[in-house]
């Protein structure tokens, strides 16, 4: 975990690209897509964080090797 900051930065960058592309494909008007971007980006990052937390909890409880 030496490069945790780099991994987080790369995740945030790739998440931004994913959300931007989906916003532009789902909304016909660019202005509306730009207004929706921050909320969708926050939701994407939050849900991804919840999934990561659940995976870490499951790993530490069910898949731990002593």
């Amino acid at each position: 975990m030496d490069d945790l900051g780099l991994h987080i930065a790369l995740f945030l960058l790739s998440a931004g690209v994913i959300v931007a592309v989906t916003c532009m494909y789902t909304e016909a008007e660019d202005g509306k897509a730009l207004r929706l971007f921050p909320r969708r980006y926050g939701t994407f990052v939050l849900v991804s964080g919840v999934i990561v937390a659940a995976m870490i909890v499951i790993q530490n409880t069910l898949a731990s090797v002593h």
Side-chain angles (χ1 to χ4, degrees), residues 23-33:
C23 280
M24 294 300 165
Y25 278 125
T26 58
E27 298 299 329
E29 298 177 11
D30 290 343
K32 186 174 181 183

Side-chain angles (χ1 to χ4, degrees), residues 22-66:
T22 57
C23 280
M24 294 300 165
Y25 278 125
T26 58
E27 298 299 329
E29 298 177 11
D30 290 343
K32 186 174 181 183
L34 288 173
R35 285 191 306 274
L36 290 174
F37 177 79
R39 186 182 59 170
R40 288 185 180 182
Y41 182 74
T43 302
F44 185 86
V45 171
L46 180 68
V47 170
S48 296
V50 169
I51 291 169
V52 167
M55 289 173 62
I56 289 172
V57 167
I58 290 169
Q59 174 190 357
N60 287 333
T61 56
L62 299 177
S64 63
V65 177
H66 295 284

Side-chain angles (χ1 to χ4, degrees), residues 7-31:
H7 288 267
I8 290 173
L10 289 173
F11 167 73
L12 293 175
L13 177 67
S14 61
V17 171
I18 291 167
V19 173
V21 168
T22 57
C23 280
M24 294 300 165
Y25 278 125
T26 58
E27 298 299 329
E29 298 177 11
D30 290 343

